[in-house]
């Protein structure tokens, strides 16, 4: 494995070493003449940028990242050695990268990296930040202060957490992940709702995820059998994050790359990654880990198109196409309500006429209704959802386009 200096051509994406290694960022724009535009720096896809995350991210082009996963220092503030009842010492996170002199110092650091990350996010990109009770509330406040828009907080419940050895508190059995869009205005962020639901017994995926911590063969160890990284996250967690909020070919940025869990999962799932990590030992281990991953074949990754991404179909066009005749009677699944199809594609509920959605809502006394799934039509003695007619229309539209 070669380690290349920034700006030097690399044969294969490897670890890039920052020239400064400090947080002093190089200027982003290079042209002073108004008519000459500097061509944007190429995105260092599938590379680990060795150095301070803020300096490295400041070198990336604006609005170039689709998804961010960040596992920042926890600021655990450990004062004493932690031991088990048998006096063995717990391998706690006491590394330098987790030490901050005060909450104010931690907040300053958090504001700095979140500001840098926000600049490189595409308008519809989202960010997941994971943390524990030590830091996640501070991170949440700063996210909101900087203009991010919180979409969910996800509780990662560990089914094999470390016990509370002193018996003075509850077992700390979860971490919290905040999922946020770049701003409240971002409406088209990626959320693979239907694919997730299809893989979950057709139930919506909830915001509490029960997953084991990283152990066994997945845990990176050095030649002496010691953990390479103290806080390696499980690949199952990153898999769910990436499958939920990114698509094949997307670029995922991880500012605190550590052992490269995000990179390994991104490679397996056909996404690109960019990682920043200040510790060369972790970066080297991460590179080797990622290089050993075999990407999944395309047919294991294809996501079924969501209803939202499919073309809109007007009920009038279903009538025009002769898939349902004017005068036909629509009813709901339990045959409690009925409405008559009109030639113009509206439907009549008694004396009131309106769209399939408005009339469905009115019939149920609800503010809104998806008329496609609410209304049915009887065919050969069986009720068939009119959504089936919409699917026929969509498949005809697809055939016509090909
Ligand atoms: C909580 S760990 C991330 C672990 C990672 N998610 C994994 O699965 O291995 C945080 C990492 O951020 C790195 N780090 C801390 N401060 C940094 C900074 N300012 N710039 C770049 N990396 C930093 C640390 O060296 C550490 O590896």
């Amino acid at each position: 494995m070669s380690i290349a200096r920034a700006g030097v051509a690399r044969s294969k994406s490897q670890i890039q070493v920052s020239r400064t290694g400090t947080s002093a960022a190089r200027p982003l724009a290079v042209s002073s003449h108004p008519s000459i535009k500097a061509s944007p720096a190429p995105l260092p896809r599938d590379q680990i940028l060795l150095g301070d995350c803020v300096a490295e991210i400041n070198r990336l082009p604006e609005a170039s990242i689709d998804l961010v996963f960040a596992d920042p220092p926890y600021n655990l503030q450990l004062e004493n050695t932690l031991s088990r009842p048998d006096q063995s010492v717990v391998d706690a996170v006491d590394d330098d990268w987790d030490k901050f002199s005060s909450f104010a110092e931690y907040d300053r650091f958090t504001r700095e990296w979140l500001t840098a990350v926000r600049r490189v996010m595409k308008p519809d990109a989202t960010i997941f930040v994971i943390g524990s009770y030590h830091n996640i509330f501070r991170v949440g406040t700063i996210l909101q202060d900087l203009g991010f828009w919180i979409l969910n907080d996800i509780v990662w419940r560990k089914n094999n957490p470390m016990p509370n050895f002193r018996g003075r508190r509850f077992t700390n059995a979860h971490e919290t992940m905040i999922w946020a869009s770049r701003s409240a205005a971002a409406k088209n962020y990626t959320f693979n709702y239907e694919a997730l639901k299809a893989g979950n017994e057709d139930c919506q995926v909830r915001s509490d995820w029960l997953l084991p911590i990283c152990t066994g063969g997945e845990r990176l160890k050095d030649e002496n059998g010691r953990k390479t990284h103290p806080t390696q996250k499980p690949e199952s967690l990153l898999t769910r994050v990436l499958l939920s909020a990114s698509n094949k070919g997307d670029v995922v940025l991880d500012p605190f790359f550590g052992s490269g869990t995000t990179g390994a999962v991104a490679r397996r799932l056909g996404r690109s990654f960019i990682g920043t990590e200040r510790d060369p030992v972790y970066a080297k281990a991460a590179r080797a880990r990622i290089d050993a991953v075999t990407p999944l074949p395309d047919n294991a990754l294809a996501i079924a198109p969501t209803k939202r991404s499919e073309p809109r179909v007007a009920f009038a066009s279903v009538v025009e196409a002769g898939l349902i005749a004017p005068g036909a009677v629509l009813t709901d699944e339990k045959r409690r309500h009925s409405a008559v199809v009109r030639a113009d594609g509206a439907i009549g509920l008694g004396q009131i006429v309106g769209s399939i959605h408005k009339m469905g809502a009115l019939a149920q006394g609800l503010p809104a209704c998806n008329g496609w799934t609410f209304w049915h039509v009887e065919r050969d003695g069986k009720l068939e959802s009119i959504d089936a007619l919409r699917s026929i229309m969509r498949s005809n539209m697809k055939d016509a386009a090909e």
Side-chain angles (χ1 to χ4, degrees):
M1 180 175 64
S2 70
I3 297 183
R5 278 191 178 279
V8 176
R10 291 165 300 280
S11 54
K12 189 179 169 198
S13 14
Q14 298 291 354
I15 302 174
Q16 246 186 283
V17 183
S18 124
R19 252 185 273 162
T20 59
T22 71
S23 56
R26 257 183 275 143
L28 296 167
V30 291
S31 166
S32 55
H33 193 283
S35 66
I36 304 172
K37 292 245 182 334
S39 56
L43 206 54
R45 280 175 182 256
D46 303 320
Q47 291 187 29
I48 305 170
L49 310 176
L50 190 57
D52 174 72
C53 61
V54 176
E56 295 306 320
I57 292 169
N58 280 345
R59 290 184 229 283
L60 300 179
E62 193 179 329
S64 54
I65 299 295
D66 298 288
L67 174 68
V68 180
F69 175 82
D71 181 10
Y74 298 86
N75 191 21
L76 286 187
Q77 314 142 65
L78 290 181
E79 281 169 0
N80 303 312
T81 313
L82 208 58
S83 11
R84 299 186 180 86
D86 65 1
Q87 297 313 307
S88 60
V89 175
V90 174
D91 190 8
V93 182
D94 55 0
D95 307 65
D96 282 349
W97 56 258
D98 202 45
K99 293 201 170 91
F100 294 83
S101 59
S102 61
F103 283 141
E105 171 67 6
Y106 186 77
D107 292 351
R108 187 196 57 71
F109 162 76
T110 304
R111 259 191 299 276
E112 226 177 74
W113 74 259
L114 278 172
T115 302
V117 157
R118 193 162 184 271
R119 185 188 69 83
V120 297
M121 287 169 72
K122 290 182 182 171
D124 283 321
T126 61
I127 178 170
F128 285 78
V129 189
I130 189 165
S132 61
Y133 64 86
H134 307 87
N135 66 333
I136 201 67
F137 301 105
R138 313 194 79 80
V139 170
T141 303
I142 295 168
L143 275 167
Q144 288 183 323
D145 288 349
L146 292 178
F148 289 92
W149 187 252
I150 298 183
L151 299 167
N152 274 123
D153 64 323
I154 293 152
V155 172
W156 165 31
R157 197 150 75 80
K158 305 173 183 179
N159 48 9
N160 47 353
M162 187 160 67
N164 183 270
F165 293 114
R166 296 206 180 111
R168 301 279 298 155
R169 300 187 191 184
F170 298 106
T171 307
N172 187 20
H174 75 276
E175 288 187 33
T176 303
M177 249 186 322
I178 297 178
W179 182 38
S181 57
R182 195 181 176 281
S183 76
K187 300 290 180 222
N188 289 323
Y189 55 84
T190 299
F191 179 49
N192 294 318
Y193 171 78
E194 286 176 34
L196 290 167
K197 192 173 161 188
N200 190 44
E201 305 272 302
D202 282 328
C203 295
Q204 292 192 337
V205 172
R206 296 161 41 126
S207 61
D208 48 347
W209 300 0
L210 181 65
L211 299 168
I213 59 171
C214 179
T215 50
E218 192 183 315
R219 188 94 210 196
L220 300 193
K221 303 254 172 70
D222 65 15
E223 54 284 358
N224 301 315
R226 283 187 303 241
K227 292 176 196 166
T228 304
H229 196 287
T231 68
Q232 183 180 336
K233 293 293 172 290
E235 293 191 4
S236 55
L237 183 80
L238 268 298
T239 301
R240 202 178 282 190
V241 166
L242 265 60
L243 287 177
S244 306
S246 70
N247 292 310
K248 198 167 167 284
D250 278 357
V251 181
V252 185
L253 170 68
D254 184 337
F256 305 100
F257 206 57
S259 65
T261 313
T262 304
V265 173
R267 182 166 158 81
R268 182 166 308 116
L269 298 180
R271 278 72 168 159
S272 285
F273 71 85
I274 297 173
T276 61
E277 172 54 56
R278 69 179 204 182
D279 186 321
V281 175
Y282 295 156
K284 191 172 173 202
R287 186 75 257 174
R289 174 186 185 188
I290 295 163
D291 288 347
V293 169
T294 309
L296 286 172
D298 273 1
N299 60 1
L301 291 173
I303 282 200
T306 63
K307 293 244 163 69
R308 266 194 214 194
S309 68
E310 288 186 296
R312 281 180 75 85
V313 174
F315 187 59
S317 63
V318 176
V319 180
E320 281 160 14
L323 293 177
I324 192 162
V329 175
L330 301 183
T331 182
D332 62 297
E333 219 175 358
K334 294 193 174 150
R335 298 179 190 270
R336 282 175 304 195
H337 310 281
S338 57
V340 177
V341 175
R342 292 162 45 103
D344 58 8
I347 60 172
L349 186 71
Q351 297 303 307
I352 308 171
V353 172
S355 70
I356 50 170
H357 309 297
K358 282 216 173 101
M359 294 302 97
L362 185 69
Q364 300 174 87
L366 295 175
C369 159
N370 179 350
W372 290 109
T373 49
F374 178 70
W375 293 112
H376 293 63
V377 63
E378 189 162 330
R379 297 261 155 94
D380 303 325
K382 280 194 195 145
L383 282 186
E384 183 187 11
S385 155
I386 60 169
D387 210 20
L389 307 180
R390 178 166 67 159
S391 299
I392 297 172
M393 287 297 293
R394 280 185 172 147
S395 113
N396 291 348
M397 285 155 93
K398 215 168 134 212
D399 288 349
E402 280 168 6

